[in-house]
Amino acid sequence: MNQHSMPKLNRRAFVIGTATAGAGLALGLDLPFGGPAVVRAADGAPEINAWVVIRPDDTVVIRIARSEMGQGTLTGLAQLVAEELECDWSKVTTEFPTPGQSVARKRAWGDFSTGGSRGIRTSQEYVRKGGATARVMLIQAAANEWKVPASECTAANSVITHTPSGKTTTYGKVVEAAAKLDPPADVKLKDPKDWKIVGKGVKRLDTSDKTTGKTVYGIDIKLPGMLNAAIKDCPVFGGKLTSFDEAKVMGMKGVKKVVRVNDSAVAVVADTWWHAKTALDALPVVWDEGPNAKVSSATIAKWLGEGLDDSQQAFVGNQNGDVKAAIAGAAKKVEAVYNYPYQNHATMEPMNATALYTSDKCEVWCGTQNGEAAFAATLEASGLPADKCDVHKLMLGGGFGRRGQTDYVRQTVLIAKQMPGTPIKLLWSREEDMQHGLYHPITQCKMTGAFDADNNLTALHIRLSGQSILFSLRPEALVNGKDPVAFQGLNASGEAAIGYTVPNLLVEHSMRNPHVPPGFWRGVNVNHNAIYLECFMDELAQSVGQDPLEFRRRLMTKHPKHLAVLNAVAEKIGWGTPAPQGVYRGIAQHMGYGSYVAGAAEISVTDGTKIKVHRIVAATDPGYAVNPAQIERQIAGSFVYGLTGLFYGGCTVKDGRIEQSNFDNYNSMRINEMPKVESIIMPSGGFWGGVGEPTICVAGPAVLNAYFAATGKRIRSVPLRDQNITFA
Amino acid sequence: MANLTINGKTIDVDVEADTPLLWAIRENVGLTGTKYGCGIAQCGACTVHIDGVAMRSCGVSVSEAVGKQITTIEGLGPNGALHKVQEAWIANDVPQCGYCQSGMIMAVAALLKEKPKPTDQDIDEAITNICRCGTFQQVREAIHEAANA
């Protein structure tokens, strides 16, 4: 397989897997099992099980292992537990257990990873069981007290009632007794039709403090004696730190120390971050820029372009029939080449973490999408065992995939290790954040379609060329070298399946990994795969003079769930009826993260270069909708992120480094550019799909297809700013 | 040393005169509701009121703020109660990650003071804060609700 230059193989993910799975067992920690009869929360309230703590005043504390970064998972998971617990929703609060506690309790809270729109869908069953188990124990405790059979008792709103006698008690009154009982071996979960809290658009549990400035994000943590660090990593990825002249800045106000963090980064530690950053800017640094210092967007584009040629090796992701023969024998052939750029996450809160290291303990406070990965990074960087480390999770000022990685945690521990006993908060400047991301991977794609003499689509060839995330971040997850994630939305089946049946289909990926580090991004690969497929579907329809919606429908008869969301947006946008004067429509559908999604856009275009997006209609079938009000917000927000990427995004490479440095040259949509987003939430049941990401992928193709309808011009390259097209 | 008046209290702050007000507020005064997002007055996460006007505090030096009334998110509500914008934000469940929302709320509160019943166009012109989660649809609804409260 071609390598532009061999990226530094990152085996951290593998280390994380083994560290977290093995640590608790290997260390023989003082496990609570067999210890005191009742496990207590920090405030002394008894725990019924890992998920549920109830205080004597009936307050319910629900433990949330997944991270909250705005997507609403904290509230959704609490709804799922509360539903089965039959508790009073108005008395619910939440807390984050630490990964260290989880490891010590044989991973009582399961997976902490919060990415891939998995927060709810991959933990819904065991958190519901946690709630149901606690309910059964609370009822049993009341029945024991009353000396009646538990089967004669019911629970609702945190009140237990003995039906024959009418006696009642509350959860808070029986919790001490309940906590001493053995949990039932098995519990039956409710039929979704009986849900009372799940499926309702209840208010988020974390809103109030976010309106008053009280919420503590990683950047806000304060510890006694804490110092602040600013960091600079080699601007060229893969380069090294040669030297720095600390004498030039040691006399500057507030500066305490200048430290080599690792082989590529230097940090200044000072009393305040502003002093640290001011000194860092003044610090003379010599870099060894390494072998990538000449790489540019042009050299990357050329190399990826070569991968579009069939002579180059490629991994097959999905195949039926014989595409090449069908294309060779076609009455008509259509071909187009598309591309999608690097994108930074640009979370509003730049990367940061705080660490306190002593010779026998290391504690970290940070926002992370993966508490266990942050914990493993802390172990590795500190060199201390699992029972001497912990990570305290704080609210995230945005994640979008970026905070699933732990580079910033590792750096913080490496700095703190050089100043034992002093808490160190490391904060990246926006510039550092912009230039040391883990970027949405770069790809190009050649699309080829073939028709028979009756204008039936006989073949579709999708040839991707570009970067693999797994190659860089999780090489152990490659399948004989192939990155299955690269085919997101184009697979034959599964949680990201293509919605069309074509007699001859070939989807392949020529993997080319430039030195710019890739990472997971909101929607990541479905963003470009949906643009490639759905814009080209429009091209194919147009080439045979067919309506884009009707053309799709004929290919979707075997994909009823894909078709249902497409039909829903078509109907609501008024497809087939006249649009307002000067307004044009585009449509798209796709599948990712287990959910079926479709979008339709109404836009107008001025002078071919100014686009006003008036209206978006978006539909999703996520199987079950835990909180429809939050799903609506995720849908609307996904269009802001997706359209920002389409119009303003794109990170370019010059001299081996990212050119963009801040929001002045990496812009983000504002409220005046926001279209009205109308959501259709149509859960069909029987499966659990994700919510935070899926709809993002139809934003691009719906608008680009509308642009063609308005102008007759195809745009096949992202971002639009590079073509001098912007929001009106 | 600078003498600043923040949320009605006068505080001596030990910083150089050219320190951005944002960092004096966060690090020296310890009010962390005001957020750092870009440092170049682009994103609006650090918006505070200076003599009642919404300003991006990363672009204002401490020396420029001396002698003026500075209001941060912590001091927006009257006597510790919620401001009507905060109430509308809660009623509409506006925040997602919430990081930009202090600045957004401060910008909106200043808008409503100037234009108690803003039109959509007024909102488009006045509210230029970045929100990466994309809460704009709820922001707009909540502004209208606060205006009618």
Side-chain angles (χ1 to χ4, degrees):
Chain A
M1 189 54 36
N2 269 307
Q3 304 302 334
H4 198 230
S5 59
M6 193 67 181
K8 193 166 57 181
L9 258 186
N10 184 338
R11 301 199 177 277
R12 286 171 198 159
F14 181 71
V15 174
I16 287 158
T18 51
T20 47
L25 302 170
L27 290 163
L29 294 171
D30 184 19
L31 298 174
F33 307 104
V38 178
V39 179
R40 289 183 187 277
D43 66 358
E47 180 185 300
I48 303 185
N49 59 39
W51 305 101
V52 179
V53 171
I54 294 177
R55 296 188 183 131
D57 68 355
D58 285 330
T59 303
V60 178
V61 183
I62 295 177
R63 263 75 171 268
I64 307 292
R66 309 285 177 151
S67 300
E68 177 57 51
M69 51 193 155
Q71 84 283 32
T73 293
L74 177 143
T75 304
L77 288 171
Q79 284 177 262
L80 288 163
V81 175
E83 179 69 56
E84 296 290 343
L85 182 58
E86 294 286 5
C87 67
D88 181 346
W89 178 251
S90 70
K91 291 176 177 147
V92 169
T93 62
T94 61
E95 66 180 22
F96 296 125
T98 71
Q101 291 166 345
S102 190
V103 166
R105 293 176 64 173
K106 300 186 180 177
R107 295 189 83 210
W109 287 283
D111 193 354
F112 280 57
S113 171
T114 314
S117 297
R118 287 190 304 266
I120 285 175
R121 66 192 170 111
T122 62
S123 54
Q124 50 82 18
E125 187 170 357
Y126 58 75
V127 303
R128 285 193 289 151
K129 281 186 174 165
T133 301
R135 182 196 71 235
V136 169
M137 292 162 74
L138 288 158
I139 290 175
Q140 185 65 55
N144 291 352
E145 193 182 310
W146 293 327
K147 299 186 170 49
V148 300
S151 59
E152 289 178 6
C153 303
T154 59
N157 277 322
S158 297
V159 175
I160 302 164
T161 303
H162 177 236
T163 312
S165 67
K167 275 189 290 202
T168 63
T169 188
T170 68
Y171 282 2
K173 293 196 179 103
V174 298
V175 62
E176 284 288 348
K180 294 190 181 88
L181 298 175
D182 287 329
D186 201 14
V187 286
K188 190 172 177 293
L189 296 178
K190 284 187 184 177
D191 188 311
K193 71 174 166 44
D194 298 325
W195 284 342
K196 293 176 290 192
I197 300 171
V198 176
K200 298 287 186 300
V202 299
K203 291 276 162 53
R204 294 176 67 113
L205 297 169
D206 54 350
T207 295
S208 180
D209 285 354
K210 287 178 174 175
T211 68
T212 56
K214 286 200 186 95
T215 298
V216 177
Y217 299 85
I219 194 174
D220 301 324
I221 192 90
K222 291 175 205 157
L223 296 172
M226 184 178 79
L227 296 178
N228 292 273
I231 194 166
K232 199 178 273 183
D233 204 333
C234 182
V236 179
F237 305 106
K240 302 259 185 289
L241 172 63
T242 302
S243 63
F244 50 88
D245 185 1
E246 63 188 278
K248 290 277 199 301
V249 303
M250 278 308 291
M252 291 178 71
K253 188 162 184 203
V255 174
K256 306 288 185 190
K257 197 169 177 137
V258 182
V259 299
R260 175 182 284 269
V261 181
N262 52 31
D263 66 359
S264 68
V266 59
V268 174
V269 180
D271 55 351
T272 64
W273 187 77
W274 183 250
H275 284 149
K277 196 225 178 232
T278 304
L280 183 67
D281 288 345
L283 181 71
V285 183
V286 179
W287 306 106
D288 166 10
E289 295 188 344
N292 304 311
K294 300 243 184 297
V295 177
S296 68
S297 286
T299 64
I300 293 171
K302 181 170 181 293
W303 189 48
L304 265 55
E306 289 162 9
L308 299 176
D309 193 286
D310 286 347
S311 66
Q312 300 288 304
Q313 187 192 338
F315 297 107
V316 174
N318 188 1
Q319 186 172 25
N320 59 260
D322 185 342
V323 142
K324 285 171 188 172
I327 290 172
K332 180 190 185 84
K333 187 174 110 169
V334 180
E335 195 174 284
V337 173
Y338 287 79
N339 67 68
Y340 194 91
Y342 285 119
Q343 303 268 16
N344 192 305
H345 302 80
T347 59
M348 287 306 297
E349 180 194 17
M351 296 304 109
N352 67 81
T354 299
L356 172 57
Y357 174 93
T358 60
S359 58
D360 65 350
K361 198 174 182 195
C362 186
E363 281 184 280
V364 167
W365 293 260
C366 67
T368 170
Q369 287 179 245
N370 191 341
E372 288 185 311
F375 181 68
T378 303
L379 264 61
E380 194 190 320
S382 70
L384 293 171
D387 61 338
K388 304 291 185 198
C389 295
D390 213 344
V391 172
H392 307 278
K393 295 198 310 175
L394 300 165
M395 281 290 181
L396 285 71
F400 313 118
R402 180 63 182 85
R403 285 189 161 92
Q405 301 307 315
T406 57
D407 44 347
Y408 58 97
V409 174
R410 198 175 306 268
Q411 288 174 344
T412 307
V413 172
L414 290 174
I415 297 167
K417 210 174 164 179
Q418 298 182 55
M419 302 187 79
T422 302
I424 302 290
K425 181 194 287 179
L426 169 66
L427 168 64
W428 290 17
S429 66
R430 173 59 62 193
E431 289 77 10
E432 187 71 11
D433 194 279
M434 207 58 92
Q435 303 199 299
H436 289 283
L438 292 143
Y439 302 85
H440 179 294
I442 190 165
T443 56
Q444 297 181 13
C445 185
K446 186 164 86 175
M447 304 290 298
T448 311
F451 292 93
D452 64 16
D454 298 323
N455 283 345
N456 296 304
L457 184 69
T458 53
L460 180 62
H461 182 188
I462 303 174
R463 188 178 171 95
L464 298 155
S465 175
Q467 200 152 9
S468 154
I469 300 171
L470 297 187
F471 178 86
S472 176
L473 293 183
R474 293 187 60 209
E476 76 283 3
L478 295 172
V479 181
N480 296 322
K482 176 166 81 174
D483 179 351
V485 183
F487 302 100
Q488 210 176 18
L490 306 174
N491 294 306
S493 60
E495 68 165 49
I498 193 166
Y500 302 110
T501 301
V502 184
N504 300 284
L505 175 73
L506 176 60
V507 186
E508 52 186 352
H509 177 217
S510 178
M511 189 192 291
R512 278 143 204 269
N513 296 303
H515 77 296
V516 176
F520 298 97
W521 199 80
R522 192 173 190 172
V524 67
N525 292 316
V526 291
N527 285 290
H528 52 260
N529 287 345
I531 286 178
Y532 301 158
L533 179 61
E534 286 303 289
C535 289
F536 191 63
M537 276 290 155
D538 258 44
E539 295 205 49
L540 292 172
Q542 180 221 347
S543 76
V544 292
Q546 293 179 21
D547 174 77
L549 174 63
E550 291 307 320
F551 179 79
R552 284 177 172 80
R553 282 175 171 162
R554 276 192 277 279
L555 302 171
M556 296 176 73
T557 54
K558 291 179 181 158
H559 307 273
K561 288 186 191 291
H562 290 80
L563 182 59
V565 288
L566 181 68
N567 283 337
V569 298
E571 186 184 346
K572 191 163 173 102
I573 200 92
W575 195 269
T577 66
Q581 181 71 30
V583 172
Y584 297 86
R585 293 181 181 135
I587 200 163
Q589 65 82 23
H590 211 65
M591 182 190 187
Y593 308 96
S595 293
Y596 303 84
V597 299
E602 284 188 347
I603 73 167
S604 57
V605 182
T606 310
D607 300 333
T609 58
K610 299 270 186 296
I611 299 176
K612 173 79 185 167
V613 185
H614 299 276
R615 181 181 173 218
I616 295 285
V617 174
T620 182
D621 175 2
Y624 295 104
V626 173
N627 187 321
Q630 289 311 314
I631 296 175
E632 263 184 45
R633 285 159 175 75
Q634 287 305 300
I635 291 172
S638 77
F639 278 84
V640 174
Y641 211 78
L643 293 179
T644 291
L646 176 71
F647 280 79
Y648 291 140
C651 295
T652 50
V653 181
K654 190 183 177 195
D655 299 332
R657 68 202 78 197
I658 293 295
E659 291 190 278
Q660 288 67 31
S661 58
N662 205 320
F663 288 120
D664 56 343
N665 49 28
Y666 190 78
N667 201 357
S668 195
M669 257 175 90
R670 314 296 162 111
I671 200 168
N672 65 320
E673 295 153 343
M674 176 78 192
K676 180 168 185 268
V677 177
E678 300 165 32
S679 300
I680 307 170
I681 301 163
M682 41 192 290
S684 60
F687 65 97
W688 291 77
V691 163
E693 295 169 277
T695 48
I696 190 173
C697 67
V698 288
V703 168
L704 291 174
N705 288 338
Y707 181 86
F708 175 81
T711 64
K713 192 182 156 210
R714 289 284 172 201
I715 298 175
R716 302 190 183 94
S717 182
V718 176
L720 303 188
R721 73 175 155 91
D722 287 352
Q723 297 148 78
N724 296 316
I725 298 172
T726 189
F727 286 105
Chain B
M1 191 69 74
N3 188 260
L4 296 176
T5 306
I6 302 180
N7 301 332
K9 283 186 204 145
T10 302
I11 308 161
D12 283 326
V13 186
D14 181 18
V15 290
E16 299 82 89
D18 63 351
T19 302
L21 180 60
L22 164 66
W23 294 104
I25 290 171
R26 284 185 59 83
E27 301 199 289
N28 302 92
V29 181
L31 294 173
T32 55
T34 305
K35 300 303 189 207
Y36 165 63
C38 68
I40 57 168
Q42 287 283 318
C43 77
C46 66
T47 302
V48 299
H49 295 172
I50 299 180
D51 285 346
V53 179
M55 301 281 282
R56 291 177 178 181
S57 63
C58 72
V60 178
S61 69
V62 163
S63 60
E64 292 169 296
V66 169
K68 299 186 174 156
Q69 294 291 329
I70 301 160
T71 306
T72 70
I73 187 74
E74 291 89 348
L76 179 64
N79 304 317
L82 291 175
H83 186 275
K84 66 178 180 180
V85 175
Q86 291 167 316
E87 285 174 346
W89 247 239
I90 291 168
N92 287 275
D93 241 2
V94 174
Q96 289 185 28
C97 91
Y99 190 82
C100 73
Q101 298 289 326
S102 295
M104 192 79 81
I105 288 168
M106 295 306 285
V108 170
L111 168 67
L112 292 184
K113 212 163 132 193
E114 194 192 335
K115 291 184 177 163
K117 303 271 179 196
T119 63
D120 279 336
Q121 196 182 334
D122 292 334
I123 293 168
D124 286 347
E125 285 167 10
I127 305 303
T128 56
N129 300 47
I130 293 176
C131 171
R132 294 287 287 164
C133 296
T135 59
F136 299 131
Q137 189 144 315
Q138 286 71 42
V139 167
R140 189 184 297 280
E141 287 166 9
I143 293 173
H144 288 307
E145 185 172 307
N148 292 317

